[in-house]
Amino acid sequence: MKKNKLILSFCLLFAPLWLTGQFYTVGTAPARVRWRQIEAGPFKVIYPREIDSLAQRYAWLFEKATPHVMAPLQAKTPSLPIVLHPYTLFSNGMVVWAPKRMELYTTPPAASYAQNWEKQLVLHETRHVGQMSKLSQNFFKAAEYFMGQQSQGIAVGGYTPTWILEGDAVLSETEYSFSGRGREAAFLMPYKAYFLDSISFSWDSWRYGSYKYHIPDRYQFGYFLLSTTRYHNRAEVLSGMFDLITKRPYIPFISRIAFNKATGYSHEQTWALGAEIMGSVWSRDLQNNGKPTPFKILTDPTLPPRGKPVSDYADYESVIPFAPDSVYALYRSFNRASSLVRIDSSGKKEFLRYMGYVSGDLAQGGGKLYWTEVVPGLRWEQESFSLLRSFDPKTNIMSTLTPRSRYRHPSVSPLGQTIAVVHAAVTGESALHLLDAENGAFIGAYSAPDQGQIQSSTWASDSLLYAIVLSDSGLGIYTLHIETGLWNPVVPPQYRGISRLHYANGLLYFSSDLNGTDNIYALDPHTVPAQLFSLTHARDGAFSPWLRSDTLYYSNYSYAGLRPVSAPLDSMRWKRAHFERPYTFPLAEELSRQVGFRIDTVEVPAHPSYPSKPYSKAANLFRIHSWAPIYYDVDRVAAMSMDKWYDVASPGVLLLSQNTLSTAIGQLGYSYRNGFHTGHLKFTYQGWYPVIELSAHLNERKAMEYKRERGEDNRWYSANSVLDKPYYRMSADIYIPFNLQGGGWVRGLLPRAYLSMRNDRYYSIEKSSFNHYATLQAGVQYYQYRPMAMRSIFPRWGFGLSAYSISAPSMGDVFGTGMFAQAFGYFPGLFANQGLRLRAIWQQQWIEGKLYYLPGLAVWPRGYPSRASQKHTGFTADYAVPVWLGDLSLGRILYLKRLQLIPFADWAKIQHSEKTEAFYSVGADVLFDVHAFRIGSPISAGFRSAFRADGVAVFEMLFSVKVQ
């Protein structure tokens, strides 16, 4: 019995790693959307009707590319719905398996390498479909009969590291094209910087990251290892690995064993082999290119000796000089979220303001800085907009010129009167819009040439612009003549990167990885053909050039991050270069040779003609995707709310439903516990403006009858009885999650009404009858805080307010009414990344002449059990101290990254039954941020120790999981 409890404890401990990752929703599109669908082979493309042409293109690409992408995995192509989301300005894609579907954000990135966005999504996400299809065979295929699609979710979340899944998908977008991240120099640039400076970390640090040092993410890590593996193996190498995992899932560490058997190397050996191969490639390139060009670091110039990593890694991007003693940049570090900074001639930086999500580079003109910031829609997660912002350095005032637009990448005309912005239409088209710099008024529009996507632009004169345009054939540079509206190519489309275009002194300056490393180039567009010059030889990478007074400003990368630098223009190399002779990436070329198919060689029809028909939201409201021979509460497990195991899992059955549009989510279950046969129903609908959550539970126990009588001593006594009828409880929660994020603040407003009902009965002396129990909570919550830096536990600044009323509408003569209010604030601590959180709580119930308390919302001091009360006034204080643990590995059991030490002090003055008492406690939460058993998702585990005023010490375990 003890052994069974131990196994159950272990399963429940790691259940959120599997459950949260598979029951996943990316939010909902606006309710106004009318949906259509296209059948393309095994795929059903579901899309808003206004993007029919774009959906047709996706359908054609999926149908043509899928057989090639799936072939190396030797996987069957499953039938799968693909949902297109065009209303958000964020660019992403994902494949989820419970319910199985693909979700694509169709707006191309603001800046991209030389790969068409639709083709990248098709290659990358189709590979994920192949992975999950492959992992659904053998044991997990049999388990599907008992569990539904959550079987594959467990196979992916519990057995396959995310770096394998994402690294293999990056391989796909690289090997099946002439571009892809595997051919982007900046993609593996952090590894290059570390290797060339002989800096290394432990395997666990490379794999799981660090809170002290900058470690590349799982996409980079996965591609680095798998490209090395594929270089020495056939394209089908991962197929054998997935076969063994699905045949022997009961073997501990089966993923590592399967990798070893399929590739012939362990993870660590593969890493060492990749480091040797890529290190030699980068060292050879460094020798061939000669001595790096000199530059002056404008701020944070100190670097440690060779072989020593830095803990103050930081990036300075979009460097903009206003004067020799005034340089602006976007700054981001482990200690601070994205901010606008000013750097003076002495190298001192001044933080001007926090920034939101900036799409593209900063621009300057007319004495102001300009940028576009992406902000979420007010209600719908799948809708976002951009704001064109300006900042006046003289007054430090920020202004908004265009609210709720789809603009990106501003550039300012020489006279400062007109702004050119890239307009990313919902339908997929791209155009250059001209706006009045004074008020943002629309002047004119120019559609992109060759049905391409405009990346950025720069003005040569008030009537001539240059722009970077991405088409099916790669990135090119074009001229736009305002008077005629005609585009002409200066650099024809090709497959090397081009970014941050800037015109000055008759030349175009930009950064490109033409020679295998990102460097600064100058192009003379007035010669035929245009002459190209390589200006810098950066060891690791040089980006975002801007010329002022014959001095070139840009961002230079090293293992310490991107630093703002400057160099005289006459000190540059000025070496002739040619786009016709690009650098060849050895590993990427070998990968492409193995598969023999490139999507760029396939001509996409201008107008594919798949039959389209309406997609009914009502007819597709329910989609049962999973089930289980036991009952468990998905919400409790995913939230790690496991104070009572029988509330989480018990004998029974469970059905799970989530429709393809993620607007309707439900679960229906039966459980047997404590001698009762219980029914459970939960349903959430988020397709309307308010979110509606309904729940019902039947026969958890017998219903109760509550009655209070006054005795002969004039005191009240309870005379409760058990009824011979099943107990039921129901609730309806209605709220609107307003998202007000922007301007460097995370903000939200949440009006809410919660109605709870149950068939327990309470006796009313006034009415001489029993009434069923029902309570209503109604109120609003507002929060606002600064974005958190990676090392922070609390936000640096922030506050929140909430106020709720609570009542019993049908039993006002038995229950009183109550009010609850709470305020909290976040403040900086004494040292970096430390933070203080203060909270004030007030609650009161008006119960004169009433018999019962309503449930309280106020939280009691930690260490005390919560109870209902008449009056409650409380204060809490928490102080967060993050402690780096040295990235310590304890074999394959634990990898310790950080200690969270959060001392606290709570106080409350509480009145109950005409007695007022003061309660207080002090203590600390001690949490270790770890990775256990080499599972990818990070875990925070520890304990809370609270010492109460009455001398009682209380200890409890704390546990949370951040699912990747």
Side-chain angles (χ1 to χ4, degrees):
M1 187 68 180
K2 290 183 178 179
K3 181 179 179 181
N4 292 337
K5 287 185 176 180
L6 182 62
I7 295 174
L8 178 60
S9 299
F10 184 85
C11 293
L12 290 176
L13 186 67
F14 291 99
L17 300 177
W18 306 320
L19 293 178
T20 308
Q22 56 184 301
F23 305 130
Y24 185 69
T25 172
V26 297
T28 54
R32 66 179 183 272
V33 176
R34 298 295 177 263
W35 297 86
R36 298 189 67 82
Q37 58 185 325
I38 289 173
E39 300 284 347
F43 300 118
K44 178 190 292 183
V45 182
I46 303 168
Y47 61 95
R49 62 184 179 184
E50 61 194 289
I51 65 164
D52 185 78
S53 295
L54 184 61
Q56 294 276 346
R57 176 178 166 89
Y58 270 107
W60 193 92
L61 285 170
F62 272 113
E63 193 168 21
K64 300 304 178 185
T66 296
H68 300 280
V69 176
M70 300 286 279
L73 291 175
Q74 301 174 344
K76 297 179 180 179
T77 303
S79 59
L80 189 79
I82 301 171
V83 185
L84 305 185
H85 296 288
Y87 300 106
T88 175
L89 285 172
F90 296 102
S91 306
N92 203 352
M94 63 202 67
V95 174
V96 187
W97 216 252
K100 62 179 180 181
R101 66 199 189 276
M102 183 188 299
E103 308 218 30
L104 304 180
Y105 300 1
T106 61
T107 302
S112 175
Y113 45 92
Q115 187 171 57
N116 169 268
W117 179 237
E118 296 94 62
K119 292 179 178 179
Q120 182 193 346
L121 283 181
V122 167
L123 295 176
H124 188 103
E125 302 305 332
T126 301
R127 190 59 156 233
H128 284 320
V129 173
Q131 296 161 355
M132 293 192 175
S133 176
K134 188 68 175 179
L135 286 164
S136 68
Q137 62 186 5
N138 299 320
F139 174 86
F140 296 102
K141 182 64 176 178
E144 188 175 355
Y145 293 102
F146 299 95
M147 306 177 66
Q149 293 176 17
Q150 63 180 328
S151 169
Q152 288 86 351
I154 292 174
V156 174
Y159 288 89
T160 315
T162 55
W163 64 263
I164 288 181
L165 301 176
E166 297 299 352
D168 183 46
V170 174
L171 273 172
S172 177
E173 70 189 49
T174 302
E175 63 190 349
Y176 291 110
S177 73
F178 291 116
S179 182
R181 275 175 278 189
R183 290 186 176 86
E184 183 189 24
F187 186 61
L188 296 181
M189 181 177 64
Y191 289 129
K192 177 181 181 180
Y194 280 138
F195 290 178
L196 292 180
D197 271 297
S198 302
I199 296 173
S200 186
F201 300 99
S202 69
W203 161 260
D204 284 333
S205 293
W206 287 123
R207 168 65 184 88
Y208 301 112
S210 169
Y211 281 104
K212 186 170 185 180
Y213 302 122
H214 173 68
I215 303 293
D217 64 24
R218 61 185 183 273
Y219 293 85
Q220 296 159 295
F221 180 83
Y223 177 78
F224 187 90
L225 262 72
L226 294 183
S227 61
T228 301
T229 298
R230 280 282 309 282
Y231 189 77
H232 291 278
N233 290 277
R234 298 174 296 108
E236 296 79 12
V237 62
L238 284 186
S239 177
M241 174 186 170
F242 291 149
D243 281 339
L244 187 55
I245 289 175
T246 57
K247 289 177 181 177
R248 305 284 189 271
Y250 49 83
I251 298 177
F253 304 107
I254 184 60
S255 178
R256 291 180 60 88
I257 295 172
F259 185 92
N260 293 2
K261 186 171 182 179
T263 67
Y265 298 95
S266 68
H267 290 162
E268 293 83 352
Q269 288 172 331
T270 304
W271 173 264
L273 184 61
E276 179 183 350
I277 294 174
M278 294 307 302
S280 63
V281 169
W282 289 325
S283 296
R284 183 175 64 249
D285 291 345
L286 182 63
Q287 293 176 358
N288 293 339
N289 290 328
K291 185 178 180 181
T293 48
F295 52 78
K296 175 187 176 183
I297 302 179
L298 302 179
T299 188
D300 297 341
T302 304
L303 295 178
R306 178 179 169 86
K308 299 291 184 181
V310 298
S311 61
D312 57 344
Y313 181 95
D315 284 332
Y316 294 81
E317 300 177 286
S318 289
V319 179
I320 294 280
F322 260 70
D325 60 348
S326 184
V327 176
Y328 293 81
L330 294 176
Y331 172 87
R332 181 180 65 251
S333 73
F334 281 14
N335 298 325
R336 191 178 181 95
S338 180
S339 304
L340 179 66
V341 298
R342 179 192 291 125
I343 304 167
D344 65 20
S345 57
S346 68
K348 180 182 177 181
K349 64 176 176 285
E350 176 188 2
F351 291 99
L352 301 176
R353 61 176 300 107
Y354 282 93
M355 302 290 279
Y357 182 83
V358 177
S359 59
D361 289 305
L362 298 176
Q364 70 104 341
K368 294 182 179 180
L369 285 173
Y370 294 89
W371 68 90
T372 51
E373 176 188 344
V374 176
V375 295
L378 185 62
R379 161 63 180 90
W380 309 108
E381 297 87 351
Q382 289 301 329
E383 184 175 46
S384 59
F385 306 93
S386 66
L387 309 177
L388 177 58
R389 309 270 205 189
S390 69
F391 178 80
D392 190 336
K394 296 179 181 178
T395 61
N396 282 353
I397 295 177
M398 184 184 75
S399 303
T400 300
L401 277 72
T402 60
R404 294 175 64 87
S405 67
R406 292 179 64 88
Y407 292 149
R408 303 192 292 205
H409 278 295
S411 62
V412 188
S413 65
L415 297 179
Q417 298 176 344
T418 308
I419 300 175
V421 289
V422 178
H423 179 252
V426 168
T427 53
E429 287 85 5
S430 178
L432 205 62
H433 284 194
L434 303 186
L435 310 176
D436 189 304
E438 182 67 25
N439 52 27
F442 176 78
I443 297 174
Y446 302 87
S447 297
D450 300 331
Q451 298 180 326
Q453 298 289 332
I454 302 173
Q455 301 279 287
S456 64
S457 68
T458 184
W459 293 77
S461 69
D462 286 326
S463 61
L464 180 66
L465 290 104
Y466 292 90
I468 302 171
V469 180
L470 174 63
S471 67
D472 279 344
S473 301
L475 285 167
I477 299 177
Y478 291 73
T479 61
L480 170 63
H481 295 271
I482 301 298
E483 291 86 352
T484 63
L486 297 178
W487 295 89
N488 292 295
V490 177
V491 174
Q494 46 78 55
Y495 292 105
R496 294 270 46 87
I498 303 174
S499 62
R500 184 64 178 276
L501 198 62
H502 173 58
Y503 184 88
N505 297 345
L507 298 177
L508 287 169
Y509 297 87
F510 54 88
S511 55
S512 174
D513 59 355
L514 176 61
N515 73 337
T517 299
D518 283 280
N519 276 291
I520 309 301
Y521 290 83
L523 181 78
D524 186 348
H526 307 293
T527 60
V528 180
Q531 293 187 9
L532 180 67
F533 301 92
S534 171
L535 300 188
T536 64
H537 165 43
R539 199 199 66 166
D540 304 315
F543 305 86
S544 302
W546 197 280
L547 188 70
R548 180 182 176 86
S549 301
D550 294 327
T551 299
L552 188 67
Y553 295 81
Y554 60 97
S555 295
N556 185 79
Y557 189 82
S558 72
Y559 58 86
L562 286 166
R563 290 293 191 266
V565 302
S566 66
L569 201 57
D570 57 11
S571 69
M572 300 287 98
R573 302 174 72 194
W574 293 101
K575 181 180 179 180
R576 282 297 303 274
H578 304 273
F579 276 111
E580 297 80 10
R581 295 192 288 240
Y583 178 85
T584 300
F585 291 83
L587 264 68
E589 292 304 315
E590 172 59 22
L591 299 178
S592 293
R593 187 196 64 77
Q594 290 182 18
V595 298
F597 167 79
R598 301 206 191 193
I599 198 171
D600 303 304
T601 63
V602 180
E603 185 176 351
V604 183
H607 302 287
S609 55
Y610 292 91
S612 173
K613 61 183 180 180
Y615 180 84
S616 170
K617 291 188 283 188
N620 294 279
L621 187 63
F622 298 101
R623 183 185 176 192
I624 296 175
H625 59 82
S626 298
W627 45 89
I630 62 170
Y631 173 78
Y632 60 89
D633 190 313
V634 174
D635 296 329
R636 281 180 175 266
V637 175
M640 289 307 300
S641 179
M642 297 190 296
D643 49 338
K644 297 179 180 179
W645 281 1
Y646 61 77
D647 283 340
V648 178
S650 56
V653 294
L654 178 67
L655 290 177
L656 297 169
S657 173
Q658 179 176 319
N659 66 340
T660 302
L661 298 180
S662 298
T663 56
I665 303 168
Q667 61 182 74
L668 177 66
Y670 155 80
S671 67
Y672 178 77
R673 58 193 182 199
N674 300 328
F676 288 90
H677 301 274
T678 307
H680 307 272
L681 172 66
K682 286 189 175 183
F683 180 73
T684 300
Y685 188 73
Q686 47 194 16
W688 294 332
Y689 213 77
V691 178
I692 301 174
E693 295 183 359
L694 305 175
S695 71
H697 303 270
L698 175 64
N699 199 39
E700 291 177 311
R701 56 174 172 81
K702 294 292 185 179
M704 294 288 296
E705 199 170 70
Y706 296 91
K707 186 176 181 181
R708 300 196 73 185
E709 299 176 341
R710 192 179 294 275
E712 295 180 357
D713 56 359
N714 206 34
R715 298 178 63 182
W716 288 100
Y717 292 91
S718 296
N720 304 332
S721 58
V722 179
L723 300 177
D724 190 22
K725 61 173 62 176
Y727 163 79
Y728 67 79
R729 57 187 174 98
M730 298 181 294
S731 66
D733 194 3
I734 303 174
Y735 57 92
I736 305 176
F738 291 115
N739 192 333
L740 308 173
Q741 182 171 333
W745 288 101
V746 177
R747 290 184 289 242
L749 180 68
L750 190 73
R752 186 173 216 147
Y754 178 78
L755 177 64
S756 174
M757 298 173 288
R758 62 180 191 236
N759 67 334
D760 286 336
R761 305 197 307 173
Y762 289 79
Y763 185 75
S764 168
I765 298 175
E766 180 180 319
K767 298 179 180 178
S768 300
S769 63
F770 284 95
N771 285 325
H772 287 151
Y773 179 87
T775 62
L776 174 65
Q777 297 176 18
V780 64
Q781 176 185 357
Y782 177 81
Y783 59 88
Q784 176 172 328
Y785 58 87
R786 292 297 188 188
M788 290 178 57
M790 194 191 80
R791 288 176 179 158
S792 299
I793 299 174
F794 294 160
R796 185 173 175 83
W797 295 101
F799 70 93
L801 303 167
S802 57
Y804 286 89
S805 66
I806 181 170
S807 61
S810 62
M811 298 179 295
D813 55 333
V814 178
F815 291 88
T817 59
M819 288 292 297
F820 167 81
Q822 177 177 267
F824 65 84
Y826 290 105
F827 307 92
L830 297 176
F831 301 98
N833 308 123
Q834 297 182 4
L836 174 66
R837 179 176 61 196
L838 300 177
R839 181 171 57 173
I841 305 167
W842 173 82
Q843 179 176 280
Q844 181 164 344
Q845 293 197 37
W846 289 270
I847 60 168
E848 290 77 8
K850 312 300 180 182
L851 299 178
Y852 298 98
Y853 286 109
L854 289 164
L857 299 178
V859 178
W860 278 52
R862 279 162 279 196
Y864 290 92
S866 295
R867 302 193 302 271
S869 59
Q870 185 174 355
K871 293 182 180 180
H872 184 125
T873 303
F875 298 94
T876 71
D878 299 73
Y879 190 84
V881 181
V883 180
W884 179 59
L885 293 176
D887 298 338
L888 179 63
S889 296
L890 303 178
R892 297 180 181 178
I893 306 301
L894 281 179
Y895 171 62
L896 294 93
K897 297 169 65 175
R898 184 176 68 170
L899 169 67
Q900 298 183 39
L901 179 61
I902 310 177
F904 62 80
D906 297 350
W907 175 88
K909 184 178 181 181
I910 299 172
Q911 180 180 335
H912 181 78
S913 301
E914 300 181 355
K915 180 181 180 181
T916 301
E917 295 181 87
F919 299 84
Y920 63 85
S921 64
V922 295
D925 290 350
V926 180
L927 286 166
F928 292 90
D929 293 330
V930 304
H931 288 265
F933 303 105
R934 292 196 162 164
I935 295 175
S937 296
I939 298 170
S940 292
F943 62 90
R944 171 175 293 163
S945 173
F947 300 92
R948 300 181 349 190
D950 56 6
V952 176
V954 178
F955 295 89
E956 59 182 297
M957 301 303 296
L958 303 174
F959 187 89
S960 65
V961 179
K962 181 181 179 182
V963 178
Q964 295 183 343

